[in-house]
């Protein structure tokens, strides 16, 4: 079905509706859960850093988080097939976080995409895209589902077979939202070597679900606890785009495996950071420490800085497990 952005928007869920895709995919036993940094720079372009964009791989799905200028080129450079993108999350409408979106959608269209694409972002993003495609007389040959993300409250916005996605209210000069990706609990691992060879397949399926096998009188024939072991712990990733220091984020970020938090300035520019609703490396590390996260990535460095070792030094005085968001690197969470 051919649809323009406006036509797709008219059929999309209403704001705050939950997109539930439980029936779309079968769940693999141990899906990939990895993050690739495509861009870690801030608003002013530099030759060293690209504007904000990240790719989260969950199972066989590609999830794009923000889409700064030139993101599609970064995907090509990293040998990532843009056609595998299924979900795109945009944090806010400052250009360094979404100016690459319209060109990416246009390229997907020219490459013959027909599969639905799901876009989450702030109110007004649909108007921007609709205007671009209208004045250029462009029509998408795939359905673009746009979901408005409310910026002031946290909400569950996507229920996927492998994960859930929650919005994270941030505080920036304009409405801005972070995203929390949580892997769903893994099913128990079946210990086949402990089971008799003639156990019916239906029993195996129930045991994998953690259910005991009961006899005609209600007695336990096979206890799930005896023939299974717990699956791997579910993983989580939190993306906190442009924001000033917000202590209220800590409860929602508690215990996540990997946190990305912007660190535009060093602490000697803390006053400037507060004025423009950005954070320092020390403030990002403070959030990570209070939330007890596993690892912290910092990025969105101001173009005034030419070296970034001081960002690490500053952050690690608060939270030793801090690392630079290194463009082109993939981290398995």
């Amino acid at each position: 079905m051919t649809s323009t952005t406006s036509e797709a928007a008219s059929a999309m869920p209403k704001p705050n509706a939950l997109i539930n895709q439980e029936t779309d995919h079968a769940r693999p036993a141990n899906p990939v859960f990895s993050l690739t940094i495509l861009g870690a720079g801030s608003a002013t372009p530099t030759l060293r850093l690209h504007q904000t964009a990240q790719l989260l791989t969950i199972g066989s799905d590609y999830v794009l988080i923000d889409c700064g200028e030139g993101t599609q080129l970064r995907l090509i450079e990293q040998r990532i097939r843009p056609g595998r993108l299924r979900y795109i999350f945009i944090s806010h409408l400052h250009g360094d976080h979404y100016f690459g979106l319209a060109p990416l959608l246009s390229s997907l269209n020219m490459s013959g995409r027909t599969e639905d694409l799901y876009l989450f972002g702030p109110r007004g993003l649909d108007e921007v895209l609709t205007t671009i495609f209208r004045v250029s007389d462009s029509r998408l040959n795939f359905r673009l589902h746009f979901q408005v993300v409310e910026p002031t409250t946290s909400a569950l916005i996507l229920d996927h077979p492998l994960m859930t996605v929650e919005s994270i209210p941030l505080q920036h000069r304009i409405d801005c939202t972070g995203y929390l990706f949580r892997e769903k609990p893994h099913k128990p691992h079946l210990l086949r070597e402990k089971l008799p060879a003639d156990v019916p397949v239906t029993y195996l399926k129930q045991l994998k679900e953690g259910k005991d096998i009961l006899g005609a009188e209600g007695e336990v024939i096979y206890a799930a606890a005896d023939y299974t072991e717990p699956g791997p712990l579910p993983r989580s990733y939190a993306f906190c785009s442009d924001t000033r220091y917000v202590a209220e984020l800590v409860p929602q970020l508690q215990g996540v495996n990997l946190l990305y938090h912007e660190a535009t300035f060093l602490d000697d520019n803390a006053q400037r950071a507060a004025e423009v609703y950005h954070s320092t490396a020390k403030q990002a590390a403070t959030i990570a420490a209070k939330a007890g996260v596993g690892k912290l990535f910092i990025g969105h460095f101001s173009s005034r800085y030419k070296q970034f070792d001081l960002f690490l030094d500053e952050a690690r005085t608060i939270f030793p497990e801090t690392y630079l968001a290194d463009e082109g690197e993939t981290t398995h969470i």
Side-chain angles (χ1 to χ4, degrees), residues 24-26 28 31-33 56-63 83-87 115 160 162:
D24 277 11
H25 302 298
V32 175
F33 197 85
L56 188 65
T57 303
I58 302 178
S60 61
D61 284 341
Y62 280 169
V63 178
R84 284 183 56 189
L85 285 171
R86 185 170 173 84
Y87 305 97
E115 181 186 7
H160 179 277
L162 302 183

Side-chain angles (χ1 to χ4, degrees), residues 133-149:
F133 291 133
R134 177 178 56 80
V135 298
S136 64
D137 191 24
S138 301
R139 293 170 176 80
L140 299 182
N141 293 308
F142 59 90
R143 196 154 185 82
L144 180 62
H145 302 266
F146 174 63
Q147 172 63 49
V148 172
V149 179

Side-chain angles (χ1 to χ4, degrees), residues 119-132:
L119 173 64
F120 299 78
R123 182 174 286 103
L125 179 57
D126 54 339
E127 297 178 34
V128 173
L129 294 175
T130 298
T131 300
I132 291 173

Side-chain angles (χ1 to χ4, degrees), residues 162-183:
L162 302 183
M163 65 172 175
T164 59
V165 184
E166 302 171 18
S167 57
I168 305 173
L170 303 175
Q171 294 184 17
H172 193 41
R173 289 193 297 111
I174 62 173
D175 290 343
C176 188
T177 303
Y179 298 101
L180 174 56
F181 303 85
R182 289 191 184 276
E183 191 177 30

Side-chain angles (χ1 to χ4, degrees), residues 41-44 52 92 94 96-97 171-174 176 240-246 260-266 269-281 283-284 299-302 304:
S42 57
T44 303
T52 302
H92 65 296
H94 280 158
D96 55 316
H97 293 262
Q171 294 184 17
H172 193 41
R173 289 193 297 111
I174 62 173
C176 188
C240 290
S241 178
D242 297 14
T243 183
R244 65 179 179 180
Y245 176 78
V246 183
Y260 170 87
H261 193 292
E262 74 117 289
T264 306
F265 296 98
L266 292 170
N269 273 300
Q271 181 60 38
R272 175 62 178 164
E275 291 171 355
V276 294
Y277 285 74
H278 281 295
S279 297
T280 67
Q283 289 171 338
H300 199 267
F301 308 115
S302 170
R304 71 178 63 194

Side-chain angles (χ1 to χ4, degrees), residues 19 49 92 95 119 146 180 195 203 206 232 248 316 319 326:
I19 294 181
L49 292 179
H92 65 296
L119 173 64
F146 174 63
L180 174 56
L195 287 163
Y203 286 8
Q206 291 181 61
E248 291 78 12
R316 285 178 172 173
F319 189 73
D326 194 359

Side-chain angles (χ1 to χ4, degrees), residues 64-82:
L64 184 64
I65 309 170
D66 274 350
C67 191
E69 185 177 345
T71 292
Q72 64 175 324
L73 297 177
R74 298 292 294 140
L75 291 169
I76 294 170
E77 288 171 357
Q78 297 303 314
R79 298 186 177 182
I80 296 168
R81 293 171 55 194

